[in-house]
């Protein structure tokens, strides 16, 4: 009998060409589809990588942060809608990426009754003020994934994380994307 695949909901601000979007694209290309089902929820907007990630077999849903004009950065309706979709999707794990998605996804996961929440830190977070750090601690996740030992050490110190909750997973880079199929001399000549 084949075990049920683990359902993962990735919550990210958007799928733009920058760091977070590239990480999500790499995950979409390389996760083990025999063990996991995964979908992506964008909580700010879409982005240039939506189509590419959908082509890789992940469903992308966009739940925009602002409808019309809003004085609230985090709309309760948006959080409730995400919670509804997470509950409906029967996800086992919510994996958040980037601070606003950490907040929206973390609260929505709790409202949906999802017990396992992890977040990936994509940058040093040196911009975080005291209230950001307080929110991070309030919405503590099962695991915090860092892309380097330096980031892990910095996050443990800055955010006062329990080191046992911090995991380092280095970003994979597909070096074949950077292969030049032209001979070096020919390429240099084309550049003048």
């Amino acid at each position: 009998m084949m075990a049920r695949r683990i359902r993962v909901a990735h919550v990210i601000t958007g799928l733009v060409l920058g760091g977070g979007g590239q990480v999500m694209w790499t995950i979409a290309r390389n996760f083990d589809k025999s063990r996991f089902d995964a979908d992506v929820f964008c909580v700010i907007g879409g982005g240039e990588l939506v189509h590419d990630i959908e082509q890789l077999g992940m469903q992308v849903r966009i739940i925009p942060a602002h409808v019309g004009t809003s004085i609230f950065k985090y709309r309760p309706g948006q959080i409730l809608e995400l919670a509804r979709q997470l509950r409906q999707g029967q996800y086992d794990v919510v994996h958040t990426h980037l601070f606003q998605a950490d907040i929206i996804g973390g609260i929505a996961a709790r409202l949906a009754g999802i017990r396992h929440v992890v977040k990936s830190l994509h940058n040093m977070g040196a911009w975080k003020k005291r209230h950001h750090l307080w929110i991070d601690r309030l919405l503590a996740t099962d695991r915090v994934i860092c892309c380097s030992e330096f980031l892990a050490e910095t996050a443990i110190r800055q955010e006062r994380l329990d080191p046992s909750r911090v995991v380092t997973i280095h970003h994979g880079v597909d070096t074949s994307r950077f292969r030049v199929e032209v001979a070096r001399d020919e390429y240099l000549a084309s550049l003048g």
Side-chain angles (χ1 to χ4, degrees):
M1 183 174 101
M2 190 169 132
R4 181 177 83 82
R5 291 186 289 185
I6 297 169
R7 294 198 37 79
V8 180
H10 289 275
V11 180
I12 190 166
T13 53
L15 296 171
V16 296
L17 293 174
Q22 288 296 318
V23 169
M24 198 64 252
W25 180 77
T26 300
I27 290 170
R29 285 190 62 217
N30 296 293
F31 78 96
D32 185 347
K33 292 172 180 68
S34 70
R35 295 182 55 211
F36 301 96
D37 279 327
D39 295 318
V40 180
F41 294 86
C42 299
V43 295
I44 301 251
E48 299 85 358
L49 295 172
V50 169
H51 178 73
D52 294 341
I53 289 174
E54 288 176 331
Q55 291 297 320
L56 292 167
M58 287 181 152
Q59 184 174 20
V60 176
R61 297 181 187 138
I62 300 169
I63 305 172
H66 299 98
V67 175
T69 57
S70 174
I71 60 170
F72 299 107
K73 194 171 206 166
Y74 305 103
R75 284 188 311 108
Q78 176 196 31
I79 294 169
L80 293 173
E81 175 59 21
L82 178 57
R84 184 189 69 73
Q85 290 190 34
L86 293 174
R87 192 177 313 106
Q88 186 177 40
Q90 299 180 333
Y91 294 97
D92 302 296
V93 177
V94 170
H95 183 170
T96 66
H97 305 262
L98 305 170
F99 185 73
Q100 285 182 285
D102 295 344
I103 293 171
I104 295 165
I107 294 170
R110 283 164 178 76
L111 292 173
I114 298 170
R115 295 179 34 220
H116 303 290
V117 180
V118 299
K119 75 175 179 178
S120 285
L121 292 179
H122 291 266
N123 58 49
M124 297 306 298
W127 56 269
K128 289 182 179 178
K129 306 278 189 254
R130 186 175 304 199
H131 68 279
H132 296 113
L133 297 171
W134 180 82
I135 291 168
D136 273 338
R137 284 193 282 281
L138 181 68
L139 295 175
T141 58
D142 296 325
R143 292 285 183 266
V144 176
I145 301 169
C146 297
C147 61
S148 71
E149 290 299 329
F150 180 73
L151 178 58
E153 292 165 10
T154 302
I156 288 167
R157 186 179 61 255
Q158 176 182 304
E159 300 187 17
R160 296 188 206 139
L161 296 173
D162 175 354
S164 68
R165 290 184 25 241
V166 179
V167 178
T168 299
I169 301 175
H170 300 280
H171 291 313
V173 176
D174 180 3
T175 57
S176 68
R177 294 173 56 204
F178 306 104
R179 279 199 194 114
V180 177
E181 300 297 327
V182 178
R184 183 178 188 273
D185 292 338
E186 188 180 325
Y187 184 70
L188 289 174
S190 74
L191 294 174

